[in-house]
Amino acid sequence: MEWRDAIWGALRIGLTSARANVVPMVVLWMVAVGLAVAYYWIPGVATVLEPVRCWQEESGTIAAFLNRLIFCGVIPGALMMSIKSIRSAFPIRVLPAQVLWCGVWGIICDRMYIAVDMVFGPGRDLFSIFVKTAFDQLPWTVLVVMPCNAAFYFWLARGLSFGRTVSDWPRGRFWQTLVLPFVVTNWCVWIPVTFAVFALPLALRVQISGLASSYWTLVCLHLGRSATRDC
């Protein structure tokens, strides 16, 4: 029964976070899907995004790093200091770590997008998009991204203090207590967005997904503070 209670508690945290952010989440879906549709169907949109595509193709790792550094590190970091529910008491320590973490994940995500096209092919038809989204949201997200993010934001919410992190760590319940809320909320936010991102050319994916990641980072900061040993 204890593990069941832990799972239901984690699900409540994830769903509560998603419900609390439902309006910006729906707006995010509409923007992502609308952008993918507009890229192919509205004249001029592809032309506007062409410099972004060229920059990513030419700069690669640097462009991906700077995208996440700005949209997931700097912007959410500034908002973090102005929103009481996620404000850190240790900004000098927390903000640089947050910015660097997000920048590195920009590179990792870009490599993932490239690898996915190598494995599943470069197609952007409906079936190809579905398969790539399934890979992104199941093995990649559940086994790699969310465990790393859950541990990092738990640590970040405790001011990068190893002592507090060890004290609050959910011993024996890491997956149920920390990872599951991130997974549930991630699926609510990212499945429609990821579907739209994989509909775009490879060189645009990491850049466009960075816009959505800015909002997602704020959710992660909130989840990191919400997760405790008793949840």
Side-chain angles (χ1 to χ4, degrees):
M1 290 296 293
E2 183 178 350
W3 66 268
R4 189 178 301 171
D5 292 340
I7 289 176
W8 279 114
L11 286 172
R12 282 195 297 271
I13 292 174
L15 292 174
T16 297
S17 179
R19 284 197 300 268
N21 296 279
V22 67
V23 173
M25 184 169 64
V26 172
V27 171
L28 181 61
W29 294 346
M30 294 172 64
V31 170
V33 174
L35 184 59
V37 171
Y39 183 85
Y40 294 105
W41 293 97
I42 298 180
V45 173
T47 302
V48 170
L49 292 176
E50 185 63 14
V52 178
R53 188 189 65 80
C54 291
W55 181 51
Q56 179 62 44
E57 284 189 344
E58 294 169 1
S59 302
T61 297
I62 295 175
F65 179 83
L66 290 176
N67 173 276
R68 289 301 197 275
L69 183 146
I70 294 170
F71 288 109
C72 306
V74 175
I75 294 176
L79 292 173
M80 177 176 67
M81 299 312 301
S82 62
I83 300 174
K84 186 176 181 180
S85 62
I86 57 174
R87 185 182 303 150
S88 173
F90 310 97
I92 295 179
R93 280 184 286 175
V94 165
L95 291 179
Q98 158 74 13
V99 170
L100 181 60
W101 175 261
C102 291
V104 170
W105 271 101
I107 299 173
I108 295 172
C109 287
D110 183 44
R111 297 298 100 181
M112 184 274 290
Y113 289 136
I114 294 172
V116 164
D117 268 21
M118 291 176 63
V119 173
F120 299 108
R124 282 176 269 158
D125 56 279
L126 192 61
F127 179 74
S128 297
I129 295 171
F130 176 82
V131 170
K132 293 174 185 180
T133 299
F135 171 81
D136 181 288
Q137 291 300 302
L138 291 172
W140 174 250
T141 290
V142 174
L143 300 179
V144 179
V145 181
M146 290 306 105
C148 293
N149 270 337
F152 175 76
Y153 284 102
F154 187 87
W155 180 44
L156 195 76
R158 284 144 188 83
L160 303 181
S161 167
F162 286 105
R164 290 184 61 197
T165 300
V166 171
S167 176
D168 291 348
W169 193 258
R171 296 172 180 83
R173 293 186 299 164
F174 170 72
W175 186 266
Q176 302 99 307
T177 303
L178 295 188
V179 179
L180 194 56
F182 276 81
V183 170
V184 171
T185 313
N186 176 88
W187 283 342
C188 292
V189 173
W190 275 102
I191 288 178
V193 174
T194 302
F195 201 86
V197 166
F198 277 115
L200 294 168
L202 175 60
L204 284 175
R205 290 173 194 167
V206 71
Q207 294 296 322
I208 299 303
S209 64
L211 301 176
S213 296
S214 187
Y215 162 76
W216 171 244
T217 301
L218 294 175
V219 175
C220 289
L221 290 166
H222 179 266
L223 287 171
R225 291 178 66 90
S226 298
T228 67
R229 288 181 61 187
D230 297 324
C231 68

